[in-house]
């Protein structure tokens, strides 16, 4: 699997985009930086978009992607939990803010919604997908994606308390968030996010439950805190004696 980090941050600036991953050019996870990162041709190749939760930084490019696909005569399917579809339907593609591309064109709609069930494995395109609930302020699922004997797990936004999640997954790569630096730990716990020190505890928990630690990549950093987060993550990597990488826009890895 080829994983491209189109957006790796919690803030959009000239140099950073909101979180979005692109797998093998055909499947996207979260939609914070899809249309701003990809050519029209690349957008038309996306056949599935998996959304972790309803927050704006994760769903924002569904309408803009849909407009491009509509004008280009292409279509795609969005997979998520029902709460996310309610927000898209009622607050974003509601015919007030933007068109409802599930009806356009009527004979071959641009966007289809396909609800997923947490904890229930299913096939999406050629991937084995397992949505697993994580700890955030609104209903949120992370996704384990497997193909060709390899798998990774992307948490989406999450706070601490992931031991039940760890029991259900066995990835070679864990893509997990660290939104704030350690001085924001109290805020992070309240908001359902992680800081490097909270992440360290969760990774210790992973090792306890699974007996190993996968390769770790960090996303969803707040741009203005990134220096501190990077230094604190380096300390976590040293303490746990594992490599941990901070993602950046355009980073690509092969799994
Ligand atoms: Zn969120
Ligand atoms: Zn977020």
């Amino acid at each position: 699997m080829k994983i491209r980090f189109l957006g790796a941050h919690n803030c959009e600036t000239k140099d950073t985009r909101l979180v979005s991953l692109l797998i093998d050019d055909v499947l996207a996870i979260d939609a914070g930086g899809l249309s701003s990162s990809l050519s029209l041709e690349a957008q038309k190749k996306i056949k599935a978009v998996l959304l972790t939760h309803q927050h704006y930084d994760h769903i924002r490019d569904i309408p803009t992607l849909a407009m491009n696909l509509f004008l280009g005569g292409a279509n795609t399917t969005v997979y998520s939990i029902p709460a996310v579809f309610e927000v898209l339907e009622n607050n974003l593609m509601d015919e007030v803010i933007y068109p409802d591309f599930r009806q356009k064109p009527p004979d071959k709609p641009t966007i289809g919604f396909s609800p997923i069930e947490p904890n229930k494995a299913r096939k999406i395109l050629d991937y084995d997908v397992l949505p697993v609930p994580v700890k955030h302020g609104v209903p949120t699922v992370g996704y384990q994606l497997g193909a060709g004997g390899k798998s990774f797990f992307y948490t989406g936004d999450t706070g601490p308390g992931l031991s039940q999640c760890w029991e259900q997954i066995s990835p070679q790569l864990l893509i997990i968030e660290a939104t704030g630096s350690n001085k924001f730990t109290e805020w992070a716990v309240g908001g359902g996010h992680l800081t490097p020190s909270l992440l360290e505890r969760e990774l210790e928990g992973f090792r306890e439950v699974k007996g190993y630690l996968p390769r770790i990549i960090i996303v969803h950093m707040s741009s203005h805190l990134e220096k501190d987060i990077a230094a604190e993550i380096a300390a976590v990597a040293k303490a746990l004696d594992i490599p941990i990488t901070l993602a950046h826009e355009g980073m690509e890895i092969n799994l």
Side-chain angles (χ1 to χ4, degrees), residues 8 13 18 36 51 60 63 66 90 129-130 169 177-178 191 210 230-231 234 236 238 248:
T13 68
L18 302 172
S36 56
L51 300 175
R60 195 189 67 175
N90 298 328
V129 177
L130 177 66
I169 61 169
E177 73 129 283
K210 307 303 293 187
V236 173
K238 204 170 171 199
H248 58 84

Side-chain angles (χ1 to χ4, degrees), residues 53-58 136-138 140 157-158 177 191-193 220:
H53 68 297
Q54 71 203 43
H55 283 154
Y56 185 67
D57 52 323
H58 299 254
H136 197 42
V138 295
T140 303
D157 289 1
T158 187
E177 73 129 283
H193 288 294
H220 206 264

Side-chain angles (χ1 to χ4, degrees), residues 8 11-12 28 48 53 83 119 122-123 145 147 149 152:
C11 307
E12 186 177 70
H53 68 297
N119 303 313
R122 64 177 285 180
K123 204 95 173 164
L145 226 79
F152 72 90

Side-chain angles (χ1 to χ4, degrees), residues 38-53:
L38 297 170
S39 68
L40 287 173
E41 284 313 306
Q43 290 177 49
K44 283 165 80 171
K45 285 187 191 157
I46 299 175
K47 291 297 159 210
V49 183
L50 279 53
L51 300 175
T52 57
H53 68 297

Side-chain angles (χ1 to χ4, degrees), residues 12 25 27 31 37 40 47 51 57 61 68 79 86 91 100 102 111 113 124 134 149 167 173 201 229 239 241 243:
E12 186 177 70
D25 301 326
L27 181 146
S37 303
L40 287 173
K47 291 297 159 210
L51 300 175
D57 52 323
D61 282 2
N68 290 339
Y79 298 83
E86 276 171 38
N91 304 97
D100 181 357
R102 291 172 307 154
I111 291 275
F113 285 174
I124 296 177
V134 295
E167 278 166 23
L173 166 67
R201 262 179 267 160
I229 294 171
D241 196 23

Side-chain angles (χ1 to χ4, degrees), residues 178-185 187-188 194-197 225 228-229 232:
T179 303
S181 56
N182 286 341
K183 73 175 171 192
F184 293 96
T185 291
W187 165 85
L194 294 173
T195 60
S197 64
L225 301 173
D228 291 346
I229 294 171
E232 291 164 3

Side-chain angles (χ1 to χ4, degrees), residues 93-200:
M93 298 202 307
D94 59 355
E95 296 285 343
V96 176
I97 301 280
Y98 224 51
D100 181 357
F101 288 102
R102 291 172 307 154
Q103 320 293 345
K104 292 180 193 333
D107 53 327
K108 196 183 164 211
T110 306
I111 291 275
F113 285 174
S114 181
I116 51 115
E117 236 182 275
N119 303 313
K120 202 168 167 196
R122 64 177 285 180
K123 204 95 173 164
I124 296 177
L125 307 181
D126 292 329
Y127 303 93
D128 296 310
V129 177
L130 177 66
V132 183
V134 295
K135 304 281 182 183
H136 197 42
V138 295
T140 303
V141 289
Y143 291 100
Q144 179 167 269
L145 226 79
K150 304 277 185 171
S151 69
F152 72 90
F153 185 76
Y154 163 60
T155 59
D157 289 1
T158 187
L162 293 169
S163 57
Q164 276 185 336
C165 170
W166 300 153
E167 278 166 23
Q168 296 183 64
I169 61 169
S170 296
Q172 279 111 11
L173 166 67
L174 175 63
I175 302 169
I176 187 165
E177 73 129 283
T179 303
S181 56
N182 286 341
K183 73 175 171 192
F184 293 96
T185 291
E186 201 178 320
W187 165 85
V189 171
H193 288 294
L194 294 173
T195 60
S197 64
L198 291 169
L199 174 70
E200 183 174 352

